[in-house]
Amino acid sequence: MLKLNRLTATRITSTTAALESLAETLGADTVVMRIAPDEYLFIPELAQPEAILEFDPYAIILQDSSWFGGELAADESADLLEIHCEWEPPAERPVFAQGAVAEIPLKMWFTAEKTLFVLHAPYAHDFEERVS
Amino acid sequence: MTQSSSLKIVVDGKPQSFSEGDSLLIAMLRNEAHPTGGGTLCCGGDCPHCLATVDGVSYVRTCQVPAKPRTVVERENWGGSHPVLPEVNQPINKWTEARNRFCDVVVIGQGESGQAAAAEAQAAGKDVVTVDTGNGEEAIAIYAGPRVVVRTDTHMLTLHVRDEIVVATGAAEIPPVAPGSHNLMGLMTRRAAEAIAQAGIDLGKVVSIGAAPAGIESESLSGEIVRFDGADGKVTAVVMADESGTETTYTCDTVALGLGLHPRSALYLMGHDLPVRVVGEASGETDLPKCPTDGIVCPCIGASVEDLQYTWDSGFREMELIKRSTLAGTGTCQGMSCLPYIQSFILDKGKELQPRFTARPMNRQPTIGEIAAGAHYRITLRTALDGEHRKLGAQMERSGPWWRPWTYGDVWSEYWAVRTGVSIMDVSTLGKIVIAGPDALACLEKLYPTKVATIRTGRARYVLNLDERGYVLDDGLIAKESDTRYALTFTSSGSTHSEMWLRDWAHSWGMDVRIMNQTRSLGAINVTGPQAAELLRRAGLEKMPKFMRFVDTEVAGVPCRVYRLSFTGEVSVELHHHHKDSVKLWRVLIDMGQDLGIRPHGLDALTRLRLEKGHIIVGQDSDFDSTARRIHHDWAVKLEKEAFIGRQAVIRTNRIELDKMLVGFEMDEDGAFEGAVIWYEGEHAGFVTSYTWSPILNKAVMLGWLNYFDGALPTEVTINDQTARRVALPFYDKEGGRAKA
Amino acid sequence: MNEYMERQVQLKWYEPKKTYDVIIIGGGGHGLSTAYHLATRHNITNVAVLERKYIGGGNSGRNTTVIRANYGIPEAVRFYQRSVDLYKRLEEETGRWLMHLEKGILWIAHSEAAVRQERARAEVNRAFGAKTDFVTPEEIKKIVPQIDLSGGGVWPIMGASYHHDGATARHDRVNWALAEGANKRGVHIHQRTEVLDLIKEGDRVIGVQTNHGPMYADIVMSAVGGHVSRVAKMAGLRLPIRTHTLQAYVTNHYQQKLHPIVASTSLLFYVSQTARGEMLLGAQIDPQPSYNYRAGHDLIKGCSHRAMTMLPFLRDLRILRQWTGVCDMSPDYSPIMGKTPIPGFLITTGWGTWGFKAIPVGGEQMAALIATSETPELIAPFALDRFARDRTMADRGSAGTH
């Protein structure tokens, strides 16, 4: 069963080029979610998010504590999605995908072994209820 | 075929044995029970003659449902009254699970052509899903996507198709239409006879008309059907006429009817502009039968050939008009039985062959509970303090997209806490958007009707958002962080729309800006009341920012953006902070304010407090057609600016004489309400948009729309049979000293 | 068994003439009603109604047949109440059975804000002649015993406005009775006659070009639903109309048990039981503008779920058929009726999701306008020029409802 907990995350709004440049400097232990062409979500939160300013002095940085997340093993996550997801998740691994799951906006990071489900705090209570 | 005595269904309250593999229909026939008493059975899910109530669900085609132990079947007297509405008190206990499957090709129907289509697609390396009624899978409908919705034995399945849907549903057999009643047992289509015989049920003496059933000994009759004779509800003979009109009676126990095929093309037709292909019998032409001059054409509704003729003679000469006037084709089988005869009838009248009725879902009928599988309510968002409110026993209200506390139990205690002590409110729901970039100022200047350039760093200004027609969309604040960065707030209901509004314009103007919606990321708590400054001092805020200014500092150890403003009319700050800190900040403030009489207030108190100050709520007091001047906000619209959204419309409408204004009224006695009608000299003069009794002013106060009469606004009107006086706003603290103290 | 078959109406078909006094484009409820009222009230019978397909085949035959006057602004309450009253007399007047049933309609409130809105609705309704009361949950339970007042434990019911005059009638029969009434007095109805263009002389519209050739008239009125923007464009007119689809569905037939019409603006659904016993369900308009008649999965899935919340017995009813109509939405959710800047060209449009309920009054008033050249007081507020004059008929309480 999916259990959601508060994550630490950094959300940055900037140009795609600047965000890509920043992403390239990060290690594999940071999950980079390209949630919009001008907005990336980094999990866990970046130690030095202001590094983006080198690439774009106008970037908006938010150490964003409003994201909740939880992990499921690959087979459990496939089962959850079969019931609750009406669009086809990508097959590549690792891969990021986002869209409505159980009619709630969800962000997912798929690796070969497991899936990280991430969503905004105001949805967390209902999402847990809907998928349990 | 083995018949196990332990396998029993319950039919009309009596247990009945069945055999492994039986459909409910076969199980009933095994016990000589026809589900609807009589009528030509098809065993293909096409006709309405095997309908029964199964486990409480009426209109179930029993030929399509496998018999399972303890299934409860109630037979309906077809031709009599309709089934009663079920008694259901708990929608959740029979909740159907929904599943999704993504594939390249779906093949519906696994007859010969369906199997061939599936094999061909598989050979081409496609991911193929087959749907077959033989496996208890019924294709309900094809929708855009394309999607195929399927009811299986255990759940609802939505198939999402990448390449193609192949409809291989075969064809229905055409039922007989003959004068007199043919609601008899023993009438069946050719294929039904084969299926029933194969189940080991003795058909007695069989005569066949048209194509003869395979594997059954039958006497093949020729000529035209004159009528069916019966006794005790069973067929006893069929009367046939030859070319010369000579009638011959053939005694029999079973009539097997091979009258031709009518393609089951509904799924194909409902997918008309989707990648749907039809193969096999489903793609064929209807073997149009001869339409006799008498007999029931539509067994679901009971429409006869005579009815068709009557309608025709009355001037209804279109397929759809005939359907709508006779109602033929509007029953459970949706025209599968009657359509070939109606087509034939119209053709005989010298018209061209008319197309079938428009095909729409449903092809097979799901219950409302089944089709709802996997659905959810529109979500109502919860702030970080949602749990705190509920712990305090708040009555929660769905307000815009959010759950918000309406009251914690006593609205007047909450009110007085604000007016005389200190109170807090969860305002995390406010729209909060940051805009930054070289063009941030230019962008806001083109958007807003205020002079954004004159806002100084560290200060905030109240602003309106207008649409292109000059009507008020929303209101909020612009706070300047630096020359290239601003924080904007919007109303709680307006934030999603406002983000689109902002992005659309910024994008279409090609502005070099970054926009981040922080509504859901940041919490916000409003601290208000004469003791607010004292509470905040205790929490570590030594120096309150001046009115309409902000500072970034720590409150109770929590990093906050502190905005000084006021909606309640008392000293007021908004503490914007990180989502994770909301609960801590809330609890510390309540703890520290105990001796100051602190208590949180909800929406009910807030709307009264702000009303005393004459502040409007966009969407409650304003309407679709509220220009700034109609709501007394023309001061917030600087027409001398070169450009802003809605400027041209405002200039144009400002030249038009005003017809109504949003104004304040007061009344000595309590008793009006939101929506109360305002009268002036017996004429309708407007209506109340906000109302409260004001304990501090000892009178009733309200906002409302008031019409002009002869170019002037009345000063005294009647509301709820009382005299109300139009007064200048605000009602409370007219000098405005309290909020700025 | 087939007691609901139409057995009264007799339609006559004529060969098209070259000229008429009045040409009405659109053989739906409003076009037929205008022709009916021209013939019966003003003795104007040299009239042709042109229908692209068959009469009543557009939205007039696809709607959910609700008749009501519980609107949020005085102008609308007066207008629709007139229609409610005309509907009550229409069976007697036409001598045709329209399956008109007075049922009452409940608009359920699930929040404090919605309670206030429904109270306000009752107030403005009563003030302008419509019979509506605010009712408590206990009273609701008496009116609809099947209702789950807890709203499935998720959407508790806090009150409702109860509009006593809420009614339904069989849409086809209304269309046909009006068609027959017009046509037996000499009005021509031409089916399968599509208007390809308007014929103009200078600014003035003087006729129509059809697939059966040109026809001329002093007055051309558009009573088109769905493609009204195209017809207006032929006249050189741009209308503030967006066309959205609206879906609905019916179940199989059941014995009569659900008496009133039940609606919820928060849960966005409404349900009524037809005279024939089907349960008729619908929801809000689809958010995207479209002319596509395809029925959708998401709508029926979500609407069914929400409807069961309040009326649990719906769960086990089998759905027969789902369909779609198109709604011409104006910016203020009120109709647009009357004269246009183009001489000789009148319109009746913007019927959104409330066209059926206005069929009698809409036709009556447009006929009066054609006969007298004066805009009747009842429809003056709904003139097209109201948008330019900053006099929109904002009716927030009725936005997007059926």
Side-chain angles (χ1 to χ4, degrees), chain B residues 59 82-83 93 143 147 273 310 314 318 324 366 377 395 397-398 471 619 622 630 652 657 674, chain C residues 6-7 11 112-113 116 154 172 192 252-253 255 294 297 309 315 317 319 322 388 390-391 396:
Chain B
Y59 294 101
H82 299 312
N93 62 4
Y143 289 109
R147 295 175 178 187
D273 55 357
Y310 185 93
S314 299
E318 293 261 346
R324 285 167 180 266
Y377 301 111
Q395 176 192 337
E397 164 97 346
R398 289 183 177 91
Y471 298 138
S622 69
R630 278 198 179 112
R652 193 180 63 76
E657 198 182 347
E674 282 173 32
Chain C
E6 172 61 66
R7 291 186 190 276
L11 298 173
E112 295 283 354
R116 291 176 181 208
V154 193
D172 289 333
R192 303 284 164 194
N252 270 292
H253 305 72
Q255 286 180 28
R294 177 186 293 290
H297 186 207
T309 306
R315 187 194 69 192
L317 306 194
I319 300 164
Q322 179 185 6
D390 189 28
R391 294 291 186 267
R396 200 177 42 213

Side-chain angles (χ1 to χ4, degrees), chain B residues 225-267:
Chain B
I225 304 168
V226 177
R227 66 173 186 275
F228 299 101
D229 288 337
D232 300 331
K234 291 182 186 170
V235 69
T236 53
V238 55
V239 181
M240 302 293 288
D242 65 16
E243 275 171 27
S244 67
T246 310
E247 294 184 4
T248 313
T249 301
Y250 301 89
T251 58
C252 59
D253 301 306
T254 294
V255 184
L257 295 136
L259 302 181
L261 298 178
H262 178 50
R264 291 189 194 113
S265 53
L267 283 169

Side-chain angles (χ1 to χ4, degrees), chain B residues 263-281:
Chain B
R264 291 189 194 113
S265 53
L267 283 169
Y268 168 66
L269 294 172
M270 80 177 67
H272 61 90
D273 55 357
L274 300 171
V276 181
R277 186 157 61 91
V278 62
V279 299
E281 283 180 355

Side-chain angles (χ1 to χ4, degrees), chain B residues 531-593:
Chain B
Q531 299 287 352
E534 169 58 19
L535 176 62
L536 289 162
R537 192 192 56 75
R538 293 179 189 183
L541 183 69
E542 285 304 331
K543 194 165 169 286
M544 289 275 276
K546 285 189 180 153
F547 195 63
M548 295 306 275
R549 296 193 191 190
F550 66 89
V551 292
D552 291 329
T553 181
E554 282 200 359
V555 176
V558 168
C560 287
R561 159 78 50 94
V562 183
Y563 287 98
R564 176 82 188 273
L565 36 74
S566 183
F567 195 46
T568 61
E570 306 298 338
V571 169
S572 191
V573 297
E574 255 171 38
L575 307 174
H576 292 214
H577 54 272
H578 287 287
H579 189 277
K580 67 177 161 63
D581 295 329
S582 275
V583 172
K584 177 184 169 191
L585 185 58
W586 178 264
R587 290 183 181 172
V588 170
L589 289 170
I590 288 182
D591 281 351
M592 287 178 170

Side-chain angles (χ1 to χ4, degrees), chain B residues 28 35 50-54 57-60 62 73-76:
Chain B
M28 283 188 274
C50 74
L51 297 178
T53 299
V54 177
V57 177
S58 301
Y59 294 101
V60 173
T62 54
V73 181
E74 294 156 85
R75 292 192 297 163
E76 280 152 22

Side-chain angles (χ1 to χ4, degrees), chain C residues 7 43 57 90 113 152 214 245 268 290 307-308 328 330 343 357 370 375:
Chain C
R7 291 186 190 276
N43 202 25
L90 199 56
T245 51
L268 293 169
S290 168
M308 280 194 304
D328 300 319
S330 67
K357 52 188 69 61
I370 291 168
T375 302

Side-chain angles (χ1 to χ4, degrees), chain B residues 469-506:
Chain B
R469 292 176 296 162
Y471 298 138
V472 175
L473 278 180
D474 201 4
D475 64 357
L477 294 181
I478 300 180
K480 181 173 179 181
E481 296 184 10
S482 76
D483 287 344
T484 55
R485 184 166 155 137
Y486 292 81
L488 315 174
T489 67
F490 302 88
T491 61
S492 301
S493 334
S495 80
T496 306
H497 182 264
S498 299
E499 183 187 353
M500 300 304 289
W501 175 79
L502 198 59
R503 285 187 187 278
D504 275 358
W505 286 115

